[in-house]
Amino acid sequence: MSEIKSLFEPQSICVIGASDKKNKIGYKIMENIKSGGYLGKVYPINPNLEEILGYKVYKNISDINEIDEIDIAVIAVPEPLVLNALKTCPSKKIKYVLVITSGFSEIGKNKEEKDLVDFAHQHNIRILGPNIFGHFVNKSNINASFASSNIPKGNVALISQSGALGSALIGETGEENIGLSAIVPLGNKCDIDESDLIEYLQNDDSTKVILIYMEGVKNGEKLIPLLKETTMKKPVIIIKSGRSKKGAQAAASHTGSLSGSDEIFQSIMNQTGVHRPENVVQALQWAKFLANTPMPKGENTLIITNGGGVGVMAADACEKYGVQLYDNYRSLEEAFAPYVPEFGSVKNPIDVTGSVGIEGYEKCIEAAVKHPDIHAILCLGCEHALFQEEALKSTIEKVHNLYGHIKPIQYVFYGGKSVKSAARYLKSKGIPMYFDVYDAISCLGELFRTYRHQQIRHTFESDDSVGIEINYPAISDILRGVQNDHRQFLLANESRGLMEAAGISMPKSFVAKTVDEAIHYFKKIGTTVVMKIVSKDIVHKSDAGGVRLNIENEQELMNAWEVIMLNARKYSPQAVIRGIEICEQINLDTEAIIGGRRDSNYGPMLMFGSGGIYVEILKDVAFRSNTFSKAEIHNMLKETKLYPLLLGVRGMGPKDIDSIIDVILRVALILKHFKQISDIEINPLVIYEKNSGVKAVDARILIK
Ligand code: ACO
């Protein structure tokens, strides 16, 4: 298959369905190619025309004699003509085809779409679309689209699954003064998907931030490692619709793709370090800030304000968005006392008070930029008589030009007309100026998220499974037996055997046929046991009086044996009794659920959460794409509401987190080694105090 570079940096392009009629899409594309200043070769194709916008028109691709290979073909003819148009492409070894045309899988014409892909792949062609507006790449001066001819140029690359939203985002980015390095819509994603595009954009120097609008993920298994790799180089922001159940349905019918479970998607975003905004406005604010702000060298933030109220509000926002305030008070005093009146404050927030005009901020910002332990600066201001519009504009512009490239600096100014007008002016100059602290600090929080991710990512890639012993041959034997039996699930004793071979501790259990055997097993277990009747004819054991708890000595065991047998015979005289199960009694404690699942979209996934009988109601679970890193697994634990309980609350000591992680690592290894296993579920996993271990009370295992 062709190198994706040709899509972004084509040397030549042809437009099948080019038109000279100004109201036609085929004309608009030609007009944009021309006005965009594209310097490569351009070949319009139309059987009825001689010339369009000064370009010579060809009746067919094969008529272009001057060239043997063309990088891109844009197809803009009605749906019934698209396949035939595509069939002309191999004559000039076209590498990429942009199918503008609508009316394929999004309206149920799946076969027509598949025919395109099948033909394309037979001829080493990749398809973008169908159902797209074309693409724009700033560094290649190419605007092969019928979107705006006036796309703002800059360093944010936009990938959009929705054409309409992508087109609208071009306008929105213009309004927000966000320049774009590329815009690539995916449309129905019949072939090229976001992974193909990210592969190019991650190494593209003209792109500082990748902003993606996504409805459904089609190949999550390919996307996950790519996102991990890319976020180490530059921020990736994904707006994903389909968070709610209703949203997911709408997304599914919108472009014919399934959007999958949002919990899994969110966990993957956490694992890969992708930024996931709530909405388009937030996405654009983050994109603009992340694309134009230097990476901090640490996490200490300083707030400079002229009003206590906004300072406190900002401190609240810092807590909400995980921004850390610098708190070395001695050092703050030394650095800022010379610039702050006696009645101000040199704690963080630095309060310069209302007696200082905007010029008074300059010295504080300068001191903060020079301070080696302050890594980001937030300037807040409330309008008062000393605030003059012109001074506000010129001071901030000067200060930002001097220092804005050294450390992240943001500005939030509250006030009336003149403050707003100054703020708008500064925003238009690309200065990170906001109308509210929460907007500013949400951006700063994301910058620190990237910083943190890039600092510690390597610890999440370690393989901590080395040295973990698992009896793989024993597990293979068990699975072979299940497959020979044509079953898709493991019986209780098989699951127990698999857990044992994997080194996951389950309550000890044996079936005794005689009371002497029962005594032997009781001694072997060596602790309090539960006794349960074993008969396929007695399903409801408790109803039959077939269960006895808290058996602590031989005498109690012999008595219980008599009673259970008597009850069982009375309950069902014909029942075939195999014996009595002697089972280690588990003291209930904190209960968790651990899962391993082979997701059809994302591949092998791990799950951890609150367990027991209320799993479905609590829905307190977190996921990870299969990992062997203890740090990553620990992060998954932290995403659940159960986690604070594991740390110890209300006089209860901390729980054995290390043992939970050990069990999850073993599940991860089983998923990796045995591709035939589709699901492993341990519920409940009883978790004891620190250093006291865990017990898998029940395990359900399914195979494909
Ligand atoms: N080779 C070359 N040219 C051809 C061929 C051929 N085999 N067959 C026809 N043509 C010419 C036609 O003669 C015509 O040229 P003309 O204007 O000189 O007569 C031109 O190609 C276009 O063909 P038309 O039949 O006029 O088709 P029209 O332009 O009306 O529609 C289009 C084609 C735009 C692809 C339409 O079918 C379509 O799908 N529109 C929707 C596109 C869309 O919205 N995409 C998603 C965007 S995302 C978003 O929502 C913003």
Side-chain angles (χ1 to χ4, degrees):
M1 285 285 171
S2 308
E3 244 206 273
I4 193 83
K5 190 173 176 213
S6 306
L7 178 66
F8 287 88
E9 300 170 45
Q11 304 295 313
S12 47
I13 180 165
C14 67
V15 180
I16 306 175
S19 173
D20 62 352
K21 306 186 183 58
K22 290 194 172 165
N23 61 344
K24 290 271 182 87
I25 284 178
Y27 175 82
K28 186 70 189 162
I29 293 169
M30 288 306 300
E31 192 183 48
N32 277 346
I33 290 175
K34 185 159 179 104
S35 66
Y38 177 60
L39 295 173
K41 305 254 185 225
V42 182
Y43 304 102
I45 315 288
N46 185 309
N48 311 314
L49 299 172
E50 299 296 324
E51 190 218 283
I52 301 173
L53 294 164
Y55 296 109
K56 178 180 174 194
V57 177
Y58 296 81
K59 303 220 172 317
N60 200 298
I61 294 187
S62 52
D63 296 341
I64 308 168
N65 291 326
E66 63 174 272
I67 194 165
D68 295 329
E69 290 186 21
I70 298 175
D71 286 338
I72 290 184
V74 179
I75 298 185
V77 293
E79 182 274 314
L81 307 179
V82 173
L83 183 59
N84 275 340
L86 177 68
K87 285 183 177 169
T88 63
C89 291
S91 68
K92 288 291 164 205
K93 301 191 178 75
I94 301 268
K95 301 182 182 93
Y96 286 90
V97 171
L98 279 59
V99 182
I100 304 288
T101 314
S102 302
F104 287 91
S105 69
E106 83 278 11
I107 58 156
K109 289 199 173 178
N110 295 21
K111 184 187 174 298
E112 286 77 356
E113 194 168 291
K114 187 173 177 297
D115 288 347
L116 296 185
V117 181
D118 289 346
F119 180 85
H121 286 185
Q122 281 158 20
H123 296 85
N124 277 336
I125 295 172
R126 301 289 315 266
I127 296 183
L128 185 67
N131 190 23
I132 56 169
F133 55 74
H135 80 333
F136 160 81
V137 185
N138 182 29
K139 75 174 183 197
S140 307
N141 289 323
I142 185 148
N143 183 358
S145 81
F146 68 92
S148 165
S149 53
N150 200 12
I151 296 174
K153 293 170 177 148
N155 53 13
V156 175
L158 178 63
I159 299 173
S160 177
Q161 188 172 350
S162 156
L165 189 68
S167 182
L169 278 173
I170 299 172
E172 296 269 351
T173 49
E175 279 294 297
E176 281 293 318
N177 292 308
I178 300 171
L180 298 169
S181 57
I183 307 166
V184 192
L186 290 166
N188 297 0
K189 274 208 268 195
C190 76
D191 178 17
I192 293 175
D193 62 16
E194 47 284 311
S195 298
D196 298 302
L197 305 177
I198 293 170
E199 233 166 86
Y200 173 87
L201 292 170
Q202 64 165 241
N203 296 317
D204 173 36
D205 290 341
S206 67
T207 296
K208 293 275 176 283
V209 170
I210 303 171
L211 173 61
I212 305 173
Y213 169 76
M214 198 185 261
E215 285 165 2
V217 180
K218 272 190 180 159
N219 189 348
E221 223 174 330
K222 181 169 139 202
L223 185 64
I224 293 168
L226 196 63
L227 286 176
K228 281 187 187 170
E229 207 177 279
T230 308
T231 54
M232 289 304 286
K233 299 175 184 168
K234 54 189 71 171
V236 178
I237 301 171
I238 299 186
I239 316 169
K240 177 162 180 303
S241 57
R243 272 182 197 259
S244 62
K245 285 214 169 65
K246 275 256 159 19
Q249 279 162 12
S253 55
H254 186 50
T255 49
S257 70
L258 290 166
S259 56
S261 145
D262 197 63
E263 286 82 11
I264 293 188
F265 185 79
Q266 184 56 52
S267 293
I268 287 167
M269 297 300 98
N270 297 346
Q271 185 174 2
T272 52
V274 169
H275 305 267
R276 190 176 183 201
E278 282 287 331
N279 51 48
V280 170
V281 174
Q282 197 172 53
L284 295 178
Q285 283 181 345
W286 289 358
K288 186 176 180 182
F289 185 65
L290 294 173
N292 298 303
T293 308
M295 191 52 79
K297 301 212 160 43
E299 292 210 47
N300 291 333
T301 298
L302 181 83
I303 301 175
I304 305 168
T305 180
N306 67 352
V310 277
V312 174
M313 224 155 65
D316 287 351
C318 285
E319 197 172 300
K320 175 170 175 181
Y321 293 114
V323 171
Q324 174 183 303
L325 292 180
Y326 181 55
D327 62 359
N328 183 335
Y329 295 123
R330 185 184 292 179
S331 175
L332 283 166
E333 167 105 41
E334 262 171 39
F336 296 99
Y339 316 115
V340 175
E342 288 266 302
F343 43 88
S345 168
V346 286
K347 301 212 166 66
N348 193 2
I350 303 287
D351 189 349
V352 296
T353 79
S355 63
V356 166
I358 186 65
E359 305 78 7
Y361 280 70
E362 198 177 334
K363 292 273 173 233
C364 287
I365 295 174
E366 198 174 60
V369 170
K370 282 190 183 141
H371 197 297
D373 296 329
I374 293 172
H375 308 114
I377 304 154
L378 185 66
C379 295
L380 313 178
C382 294
E383 182 179 17
H384 56 59
L386 301 180
F387 259 47
Q388 302 297 325
E389 182 177 340
E390 286 312 313
L392 189 58
K393 282 186 195 165
S394 58
T395 309
I396 299 291
E397 198 170 4
K398 183 177 95 184
V399 163
H400 202 78
N401 286 340
L402 277 173
Y403 306 118
H405 61 284
I406 304 174
K407 289 184 181 178
I409 313 178
Q410 295 171 292
Y411 311 87
V412 184
F413 284 88
Y414 291 97
K417 249 188 183 163
S418 62
V419 167
K420 289 277 180 304
S421 145
R424 272 193 290 273
Y425 167 82
L426 291 164
K427 259 170 97 81
S428 75
K429 294 279 165 198
I431 291 169
M433 170 65 83
Y434 301 84
F435 295 112
D436 190 65
V437 284
Y438 276 83
D439 289 341
I441 296 169
S442 129
C443 293
L444 190 59
E446 294 307 305
L447 183 70
F448 284 128
R449 192 160 180 266
T450 292
Y451 167 78
R452 238 172 274 139
H453 180 75
Q454 293 185 348
Q455 291 294 307
I456 58 174
R457 178 72 243 162
H458 60 277
T459 60
F460 297 108
E461 294 302 332
S462 62
D463 184 354
D464 301 320
S465 69
V466 180
I468 288 186
E469 282 180 17
I470 288 183
N471 187 346
Y472 293 110
I475 297 178
S476 291
D477 284 349
I478 293 169
L479 295 177
R480 204 173 303 117
V482 179
Q483 278 164 328
N484 288 345
D485 221 13
H486 304 291
R487 267 183 288 123
Q488 291 188 318
F489 59 91
L490 272 68
L491 298 171
N493 61 325
E494 291 164 337
S495 295
R496 173 181 293 281
L498 191 147
M499 288 286 120
E500 207 169 284
I504 298 171
S505 169
M506 286 191 88
K508 292 187 199 103
S509 165
F510 306 93
V511 176
K513 291 192 195 74
T514 65
V515 72
D516 288 340
E517 253 182 47
I519 292 169
H520 168 72
Y521 291 139
F522 172 66
K523 285 184 185 155
K524 196 167 169 176
I525 291 169
T527 181
T528 311
V529 297
V530 180
M531 296 170 69
K532 295 181 219 169
I533 190 80
V534 181
S535 165
K536 66 173 174 35
D537 304 316
I538 302 175
V539 181
H540 302 291
K541 298 181 172 76
S542 297
D543 294 355
V547 179
R548 281 290 178 273
L549 304 170
N550 302 318
I551 309 296
E552 291 190 335
N553 56 48
E554 282 181 36
Q555 191 54 53
E556 284 179 7
L557 181 129
M558 287 189 291
N559 293 346
W561 183 276
E562 290 290 317
V563 173
I564 290 174
M565 284 301 186
L566 238 135
N567 286 347
R569 284 201 191 100
K570 215 155 89 191
Y571 182 79
S572 174
Q574 267 78 46
V576 178
I577 295 168
R578 268 186 60 211
I580 292 180
E581 185 185 350
I582 314 295
C583 185
E584 179 186 348
Q585 185 164 316
I586 294 298
N587 300 322
L588 289 187
D589 207 307
T590 308
E591 293 185 355
I593 181 167
I594 286 177
R597 177 165 105 85
R598 213 168 287 285
D599 188 274
S600 58
N601 193 2
Y602 296 105
M605 298 289 301
L606 298 171
M607 183 186 84
F608 173 79
S610 295
I613 53 172
Y614 299 119
V615 169
E616 295 289 333
I617 296 160
L618 294 172
K619 287 197 170 67
D620 174 32
V621 286
F623 298 86
R624 280 295 178 275
S625 164
N626 207 16
T627 172
F628 307 100
S629 151
K630 286 185 177 177
E632 188 67 72
I633 293 171
H634 203 150
N635 260 0
M636 167 167 69
L637 268 51
K638 284 182 189 167
E639 281 171 23
T640 62
K641 295 193 190 84
L642 183 64
Y643 188 71
L645 263 67
L646 301 178
L647 296 178
V649 280
R650 300 189 142 231
M652 295 208 307
K655 302 288 173 191
D656 201 336
I657 291 177
D658 288 346
S659 293
I660 304 173
I661 293 174
D662 178 71
V663 171
I664 297 175
L665 269 175
R666 288 170 192 273
V667 170
L669 283 170
I670 297 171
L671 269 189
K672 180 181 162 195
H673 279 87
F674 298 101
K675 304 272 186 287
Q676 64 271 52
I677 294 184
S678 65
D679 286 84
I680 304 175
E681 192 173 287
I682 300 172
N683 184 32
L685 178 86
V686 176
I687 307 159
Y688 298 111
E689 305 259 299
K690 195 171 174 159
N691 299 325
S692 306
V694 293
K695 277 262 157 80
V697 176
D698 204 2
R700 243 180 98 236
I701 297 161
L702 305 179
I703 60 173
K704 278 194 267 186

